[in-house]
PDB file of all heavy atoms in Angstrom:
ATOM      1  N   ILE A 176     -38.643  96.014  20.087  1.00  0.00           N
ATOM      2  CA  ILE A 176     -38.862  97.403  19.831  1.00  0.00           C
ATOM      3  C   ILE A 176     -38.948  97.700  18.257  1.00  0.00           C
ATOM      4  O   ILE A 176     -39.828  98.253  17.849  1.00  0.00           O
ATOM      5  CB  ILE A 176     -37.695  98.317  20.336  1.00  0.00           C
ATOM      6  CG1 ILE A 176     -37.673  98.171  21.996  1.00  0.00           C
ATOM      7  CG2 ILE A 176     -37.923  99.814  20.080  1.00  0.00           C
ATOM      8  CD1 ILE A 176     -36.470  98.757  22.728  1.00  0.00           C
ATOM      9  N   LYS A 177     -37.953  97.275  17.551  1.00  0.00           N
ATOM     10  CA  LYS A 177     -37.936  97.378  16.152  1.00  0.00           C
ATOM     11  C   LYS A 177     -37.534  96.098  15.495  1.00  0.00           C
ATOM     12  O   LYS A 177     -37.176  95.125  16.189  1.00  0.00           O
ATOM     13  CB  LYS A 177     -37.067  98.548  15.666  1.00  0.00           C
ATOM     14  CG  LYS A 177     -37.593  99.910  16.132  1.00  0.00           C
ATOM     15  CD  LYS A 177     -36.608 100.971  15.540  1.00  0.00           C
ATOM     16  CE  LYS A 177     -37.068 102.468  15.953  1.00  0.00           C
ATOM     17  NZ  LYS A 177     -36.188 103.414  15.311  1.00  0.00           N
ATOM     18  N   THR A 178     -37.388  96.152  14.174  1.00  0.00           N
ATOM     19  CA  THR A 178     -37.065  94.965  13.463  1.00  0.00           C
ATOM     20  C   THR A 178     -35.552  95.018  13.240  1.00  0.00           C
ATOM     21  O   THR A 178     -35.002  96.187  12.975  1.00  0.00           O
ATOM     22  CB  THR A 178     -37.680  94.855  12.133  1.00  0.00           C
ATOM     23  OG1 THR A 178     -37.440  95.931  11.334  1.00  0.00           O
ATOM     24  CG2 THR A 178     -39.275  94.593  12.396  1.00  0.00           C
ATOM     25  N   THR A 179     -34.875  93.917  13.166  1.00  0.00           N
ATOM     26  CA  THR A 179     -33.562  93.818  12.715  1.00  0.00           C
ATOM     27  C   THR A 179     -33.442  93.347  11.329  1.00  0.00           C
ATOM     28  O   THR A 179     -33.979  92.267  10.908  1.00  0.00           O
ATOM     29  CB  THR A 179     -32.632  92.913  13.676  1.00  0.00           C
ATOM     30  OG1 THR A 179     -32.850  93.379  14.896  1.00  0.00           O
ATOM     31  CG2 THR A 179     -31.230  92.782  13.210  1.00  0.00           C
ATOM     32  N   GLN A 180     -32.852  94.240  10.363  1.00  0.00           N
ATOM     33  CA  GLN A 180     -32.938  93.821   8.992  1.00  0.00           C
ATOM     34  C   GLN A 180     -31.518  93.799   8.301  1.00  0.00           C
ATOM     35  O   GLN A 180     -30.677  94.726   8.808  1.00  0.00           O
ATOM     36  CB  GLN A 180     -33.753  94.923   8.199  1.00  0.00           C
ATOM     37  CG  GLN A 180     -35.116  95.165   8.809  1.00  0.00           C
ATOM     38  CD  GLN A 180     -35.719  96.390   8.228  1.00  0.00           C
ATOM     39  OE1 GLN A 180     -35.768  96.594   6.987  1.00  0.00           O
ATOM     40  NE2 GLN A 180     -36.311  97.234   9.046  1.00  0.00           N
ATOM     41  N   HIS A 181     -31.290  92.884   7.443  1.00  0.00           N
ATOM     42  CA  HIS A 181     -30.012  92.917   6.683  1.00  0.00           C
ATOM     43  C   HIS A 181     -30.227  92.256   5.320  1.00  0.00           C
ATOM     44  O   HIS A 181     -31.267  91.597   5.111  1.00  0.00           O
ATOM     45  CB  HIS A 181     -28.889  92.264   7.529  1.00  0.00           C
ATOM     46  CG  HIS A 181     -28.934  90.866   7.781  1.00  0.00           C
ATOM     47  ND1 HIS A 181     -27.944  90.048   7.916  1.00  0.00           N
ATOM     48  CD2 HIS A 181     -29.983  90.033   7.842  1.00  0.00           C
ATOM     49  CE1 HIS A 181     -28.308  88.782   8.041  1.00  0.00           C
ATOM     50  NE2 HIS A 181     -29.608  88.660   8.061  1.00  0.00           N
ATOM     51  N   MET A 182     -29.148  92.539   4.448  1.00  0.00           N
ATOM     52  CA  MET A 182     -29.248  91.937   3.095  1.00  0.00           C
ATOM     53  C   MET A 182     -28.138  91.098   2.839  1.00  0.00           C
ATOM     54  O   MET A 182     -27.042  91.766   2.460  1.00  0.00           O
ATOM     55  CB  MET A 182     -29.495  93.110   2.152  1.00  0.00           C
ATOM     56  CG  MET A 182     -30.723  93.831   2.245  1.00  0.00           C
ATOM     57  SD  MET A 182     -31.009  95.006   0.947  1.00  0.00           S
ATOM     58  CE  MET A 182     -31.124  93.843  -0.567  1.00  0.00           C
ATOM     59  N   PRO A 183     -28.169  89.858   2.893  1.00  0.00           N
ATOM     60  CA  PRO A 183     -27.003  88.980   2.504  1.00  0.00           C
ATOM     61  C   PRO A 183     -26.981  88.665   0.929  1.00  0.00           C
ATOM     62  O   PRO A 183     -28.025  88.620   0.342  1.00  0.00           O
ATOM     63  CB  PRO A 183     -27.278  87.640   3.291  1.00  0.00           C
ATOM     64  CG  PRO A 183     -28.303  87.897   4.214  1.00  0.00           C
ATOM     65  CD  PRO A 183     -29.088  89.155   3.687  1.00  0.00           C
ATOM     66  N   PHE A 184     -25.802  88.693   0.397  1.00  0.00           N
ATOM     67  CA  PHE A 184     -25.578  88.318  -1.062  1.00  0.00           C
ATOM     68  C   PHE A 184     -24.613  87.211  -0.960  1.00  0.00           C
ATOM     69  O   PHE A 184     -23.544  87.295  -0.326  1.00  0.00           O
ATOM     70  CB  PHE A 184     -25.006  89.485  -1.781  1.00  0.00           C
ATOM     71  CG  PHE A 184     -25.822  90.724  -1.866  1.00  0.00           C
ATOM     72  CD1 PHE A 184     -25.926  91.714  -0.871  1.00  0.00           C
ATOM     73  CD2 PHE A 184     -26.699  90.853  -2.907  1.00  0.00           C
ATOM     74  CE1 PHE A 184     -26.810  92.738  -1.033  1.00  0.00           C
ATOM     75  CE2 PHE A 184     -27.590  91.995  -3.092  1.00  0.00           C
ATOM     76  CZ  PHE A 184     -27.545  92.917  -2.009  1.00  0.00           C
ATOM     77  N   LYS A 185     -24.908  86.195  -1.733  1.00  0.00           N
ATOM     78  CA  LYS A 185     -23.942  85.027  -1.770  1.00  0.00           C
ATOM     79  C   LYS A 185     -23.951  84.279  -2.952  1.00  0.00           C
ATOM     80  O   LYS A 185     -24.867  84.330  -3.798  1.00  0.00           O
ATOM     81  CB  LYS A 185     -24.333  84.025  -0.601  1.00  0.00           C
ATOM     82  CG  LYS A 185     -25.577  83.417  -0.710  1.00  0.00           C
ATOM     83  CD  LYS A 185     -25.959  82.393   0.633  1.00  0.00           C
ATOM     84  CE  LYS A 185     -27.267  81.982   0.590  1.00  0.00           C
ATOM     85  NZ  LYS A 185     -27.531  81.110   1.748  1.00  0.00           N
ATOM     86  N   VAL A 186     -22.793  83.647  -3.335  1.00  0.00           N
ATOM     87  CA  VAL A 186     -22.649  82.810  -4.446  1.00  0.00           C
ATOM     88  C   VAL A 186     -22.205  81.455  -3.913  1.00  0.00           C
ATOM     89  O   VAL A 186     -21.649  81.309  -2.844  1.00  0.00           O
ATOM     90  CB  VAL A 186     -21.717  83.399  -5.449  1.00  0.00           C
ATOM     91  CG1 VAL A 186     -22.128  84.646  -6.114  1.00  0.00           C
ATOM     92  CG2 VAL A 186     -20.342  83.528  -4.808  1.00  0.00           C
ATOM     93  N   GLY A 187     -22.523  80.370  -4.693  1.00  0.00           N
ATOM     94  CA  GLY A 187     -22.193  79.012  -4.174  1.00  0.00           C
ATOM     95  C   GLY A 187     -22.458  78.003  -5.128  1.00  0.00           C
ATOM     96  O   GLY A 187     -22.689  78.375  -6.463  1.00  0.00           O
ATOM     97  N   PHE A 188     -22.655  76.826  -4.839  1.00  0.00           N
ATOM     98  CA  PHE A 188     -22.816  75.657  -5.613  1.00  0.00           C
ATOM     99  C   PHE A 188     -23.929  74.835  -5.047  1.00  0.00           C
ATOM    100  O   PHE A 188     -24.320  74.785  -3.900  1.00  0.00           O
ATOM    101  CB  PHE A 188     -21.590  74.803  -5.793  1.00  0.00           C
ATOM    102  CG  PHE A 188     -21.020  74.333  -4.488  1.00  0.00           C
ATOM    103  CD1 PHE A 188     -21.458  72.922  -4.149  1.00  0.00           C
ATOM    104  CD2 PHE A 188     -20.160  74.832  -3.741  1.00  0.00           C
ATOM    105  CE1 PHE A 188     -20.989  72.484  -3.013  1.00  0.00           C
ATOM    106  CE2 PHE A 188     -19.761  74.370  -2.548  1.00  0.00           C
ATOM    107  CZ  PHE A 188     -20.136  73.061  -2.092  1.00  0.00           C
ATOM    108  N   PHE A 189     -24.608  74.079  -5.936  1.00  0.00           N
ATOM    109  CA  PHE A 189     -25.552  73.114  -5.509  1.00  0.00           C
ATOM    110  C   PHE A 189     -25.449  71.743  -6.168  1.00  0.00           C
ATOM    111  O   PHE A 189     -24.891  71.730  -7.342  1.00  0.00           O
ATOM    112  CB  PHE A 189     -27.061  73.501  -5.798  1.00  0.00           C
ATOM    113  CG  PHE A 189     -27.376  73.724  -7.178  1.00  0.00           C
ATOM    114  CD1 PHE A 189     -27.890  72.714  -7.948  1.00  0.00           C
ATOM    115  CD2 PHE A 189     -27.067  75.016  -7.830  1.00  0.00           C
ATOM    116  CE1 PHE A 189     -28.312  73.009  -9.256  1.00  0.00           C
ATOM    117  CE2 PHE A 189     -27.514  75.112  -9.269  1.00  0.00           C
ATOM    118  CZ  PHE A 189     -28.013  74.198  -9.859  1.00  0.00           C
ATOM    119  N   PHE A 190     -25.983  70.750  -5.669  1.00  0.00           N
ATOM    120  CA  PHE A 190     -25.858  69.440  -6.377  1.00  0.00           C
ATOM    121  C   PHE A 190     -26.899  68.518  -5.751  1.00  0.00           C
ATOM    122  O   PHE A 190     -27.481  68.640  -4.798  1.00  0.00           O
ATOM    123  CB  PHE A 190     -24.372  68.751  -6.171  1.00  0.00           C
ATOM    124  CG  PHE A 190     -24.077  68.444  -4.822  1.00  0.00           C
ATOM    125  CD1 PHE A 190     -24.319  67.274  -4.322  1.00  0.00           C
ATOM    126  CD2 PHE A 190     -23.410  69.337  -4.082  1.00  0.00           C
ATOM    127  CE1 PHE A 190     -23.914  66.890  -2.983  1.00  0.00           C
ATOM    128  CE2 PHE A 190     -22.986  69.137  -2.739  1.00  0.00           C
ATOM    129  CZ  PHE A 190     -23.208  67.906  -2.168  1.00  0.00           C
TER     130      PHE A 190
END
Side-chain angles (χ1 to χ4, degrees):
I176 302 172
K177 293 184 180 180
T178 59
T179 300
Q180 307 168 48
H181 69 150
M182 293 188 68
F184 296 88
K185 63 183 172 184
V186 294
F188 61 90
F189 66 88
F190 61 92

